[in-house]
Amino acid sequence: MKEDCFAEKERCLAADADPQLLGWAVLAFRTFWKTDEKEAFALPYALNDKIRELTPYEPISGAFQIRLDANESYLSLPEPVLAEIRARLEKLDFNRYPDPIGGELCRAFAGYYGIDPKFVTAGNGSDELISILANAFLMKGDAMLTVAPDFSMYQFYASISEIDCVVLDKGPELSIDVDELIRKAVETGAKMILFSNPCNPTSLGLSRKQVRKLIRSVDSLVVLDEAYMDFWDQSLLSEVEDYENLIILRTSSKAIGCAAIRLGFAVANERLSNALRAVKSPYNVNSFTQMAGTVLFQHKELLERARRQIICQRESLYDALLSVQKEFPGKYKLWKPETNFVFIKPEAPEDARRIFEFLLKNQIAIRCMGNYLRITAGSPEENAELIKLWRLWFAEEEKNHENG
């Protein structure tokens, strides 16, 4: 009888056996082999190809004194904002689901940016909205066009959604050739074009004129990730109603200074906004995040002051790096930023990793991206410490070179 059970098990594994047949095999094993169900009938499971080799996202870990690696705001929320959040927290109905459309939150966001609330959809961070766009606005096998270097999660969500991700390389100057992007979109039949403007990680951007040309020249859905546009002045937020094929993404993690609550927004015309609300999860933004975000966007003057402070420190960091560059000419390339960070390419490719590790040993975390380095603008004190060590590294390298 045991041999019959073995044979039946093999037959079940080799075919799509019906539940009754599988159940008989399990019962037979338990009855005649005197073992538990797990041991008797452990069905094999294999991860599918698109996730088998994936590893979890792991940011730089450790308790470093200075964190300039994640493009967060170095400013804490002002006490008046925190006090209002605490007061409203006491009235929060924790036993109730959140508002499925985040009406009050979207009105506060719209009020801050001077747009119509009906064009605004809230998300659990911009990442959720990117995932929704890839999964719902594209079909399996559709082409999505992006550029490189750019935010790595675009290609990740494309692969998970089983869409064809076409990547246009920016070239050594790291700028987007709009005419080439248009040509590529037409050539590949791309249903979506997705890129950050200004760009993470290059810190560079396309002007309004260039982006308008792109939108008007393709029948693709153009998704502009304006996560860093608060630090520049080339946004198209006020023009979303003018285009049938434009969605703009915004975040609360950078200039707004609230990365902890995971809050992003999509802004588009009414037709696209209605479609986006229809395909998102019903309660995707929790009640605390909705409340805190509403409070934040109602304090326009405080947010504007913080934005100006961050831009000031970005300029200070950039100027200091330029100064060191003049002391050690030809040792690295530096791009003029339109974001809250700077992007640097050391002359020697291996120096990016060496500088990164040197700073880590000295309690400063920045981001190493292959042969490039990305440094977030910090407080005046943080920037000063970074520049001190930056200059020291190049001085020691020069001394070592002279000594042979």
Side-chain angles (χ1 to χ4, degrees):
M1 181 62 73
K2 186 187 295 185
E3 289 73 15
D4 292 339
C5 292
F6 273 113
E8 196 61 46
K9 177 184 177 184
E10 292 302 316
R11 190 165 74 82
C12 292
L13 291 174
D16 291 329
D18 62 53
Q20 285 186 338
L21 187 58
L22 290 172
W24 181 89
V26 171
L27 179 60
F29 261 73
R30 295 182 68 182
T31 302
F32 297 107
W33 207 13
K34 305 297 184 183
T35 187
D36 62 39
E37 185 172 339
K38 276 189 177 179
E39 294 174 354
F41 206 73
L43 290 173
Y45 176 75
L47 293 173
N48 63 51
D49 291 342
K50 66 183 180 182
I51 67 172
R52 185 177 297 120
E53 303 301 324
L54 293 180
T55 57
Y57 174 70
E58 294 183 0
I60 297 173
S61 59
F64 299 99
Q65 292 178 4
I66 298 176
R67 298 295 302 250
L68 304 176
D69 58 304
N71 295 345
E72 302 148 317
S73 170
Y74 68 88
L75 296 167
S76 299
L77 293 183
E79 181 54 36
V81 175
L82 290 173
E84 189 172 342
I85 290 174
R86 284 193 292 266
R88 291 191 57 169
L89 181 61
E90 294 180 0
K91 301 176 183 179
L92 199 66
D93 292 327
F94 283 93
N95 60 317
R96 302 298 182 189
Y97 284 112
D99 178 356
I101 62 171
E104 185 182 18
L105 170 63
C106 290
R107 287 190 293 274
F109 173 90
Y112 179 75
Y113 287 105
I115 58 178
D116 195 319
K118 68 184 179 183
F119 300 145
V120 181
T121 304
N124 183 14
S126 297
D127 275 85
E128 184 206 20
L129 296 168
I130 296 168
S131 177
I132 291 171
L133 290 170
N135 278 290
F137 281 66
L138 297 174
M139 301 288 284
K140 181 179 179 179
D142 281 349
M144 184 189 85
L145 176 60
T146 188
V147 293
D150 209 321
F151 187 39
S152 61
M153 296 304 290
Y154 302 152
Q155 295 185 50
F156 169 78
Y157 287 122
S159 67
I160 294 298
S161 303
E162 299 184 53
I163 56 181
D164 181 19
C165 188
V166 180
V167 181
L168 177 66
D169 187 79
K170 292 181 180 180
E173 291 306 310
L174 307 180
S175 59
I176 298 176
D177 183 330
V178 173
D179 291 329
E180 180 63 16
L181 191 61
I182 293 168
R183 187 197 67 78
K184 197 72 170 178
V186 174
E187 176 189 287
T188 61
K191 297 296 179 64
M192 180 186 293
I193 303 172
L194 171 60
F195 61 96
S196 57
N197 191 47
C199 173
N200 173 26
T202 69
S203 79
L204 308 177
L206 292 178
S207 68
R208 286 194 192 95
K209 182 178 180 181
Q210 291 173 302
V211 177
R212 289 182 189 122
K213 179 180 180 180
L214 169 65
I215 298 168
R216 293 166 179 166
S217 301
V218 298
D219 58 6
S220 317
L221 175 64
V222 178
V223 181
L224 294 180
D225 187 348
E226 289 191 351
Y228 297 89
M229 190 57 81
D230 287 305
F231 306 113
W232 203 25
D233 62 357
Q234 295 297 303
S235 176
L236 288 181
L237 268 184
S238 62
E239 300 180 23
V240 291
E241 192 177 11
D242 299 339
Y243 301 102
E244 289 296 313
N245 62 329
L246 173 63
I247 295 178
I248 294 177
L249 302 178
R250 283 296 185 109
T251 182
S252 303
S253 300
K254 312 305 176 186
I256 304 303
C258 228
I261 66 173
R262 305 303 299 133
L263 177 60
F265 298 89
V267 184
N269 65 43
E270 196 167 6
R271 180 176 68 93
L272 292 174
S273 294
N274 286 337
L276 191 52
R277 295 188 198 108
V279 297
K280 75 174 185 63
S281 299
Y283 307 109
N284 60 323
V285 181
N286 70 75
S287 295
F288 176 82
T289 293
Q290 289 192 35
M291 177 272 289
T294 298
V295 171
L296 272 170
F297 285 109
Q298 289 173 345
H299 286 269
K300 185 168 185 175
E301 185 177 334
L302 291 176
L303 291 179
E304 282 295 301
R305 187 185 310 157
R307 186 183 67 86
R308 290 192 297 270
Q309 286 179 262
I310 295 170
I311 291 175
C312 180
Q313 291 311 309
R314 175 199 71 193
E315 292 300 298
S316 175
L317 176 62
Y318 174 70
D319 289 343
L321 288 167
L322 278 179
S323 178
V324 177
Q325 187 183 50
K326 291 176 183 177
E327 295 177 39
F328 305 97
K331 294 302 180 181
Y332 57 88
K333 184 170 183 177
L334 180 66
W335 283 267
K336 181 74 171 69
E338 305 294 355
T339 54
N340 67 333
F341 59 86
V342 293
F343 199 56
I344 301 167
K345 184 180 183 181
E347 177 190 33
E350 67 274 11
D351 282 353
R353 173 58 59 174
R354 293 176 64 219
I355 294 170
F356 168 76
E357 292 176 351
F358 169 77
L359 291 173
L360 276 186
K361 289 178 182 177
N362 287 275
Q363 292 297 301
I364 298 181
I366 65 171
R367 187 74 183 271
C368 182
M369 312 182 80
N371 299 333
Y372 297 87
L373 295 169
R374 192 190 70 191
I375 308 175
T376 308
S379 68
E381 297 76 16
E382 290 171 336
N383 286 349
E385 184 65 18
L386 178 282
I387 292 299
K388 183 183 79 172
L389 290 168
W390 186 267
R391 179 178 283 109
L392 176 62
W393 191 89
F394 283 98
E396 290 184 347
E397 284 295 298
E398 186 173 79
K399 182 179 178 181
N400 292 337
H401 180 73
E402 291 172 353
N403 294 335

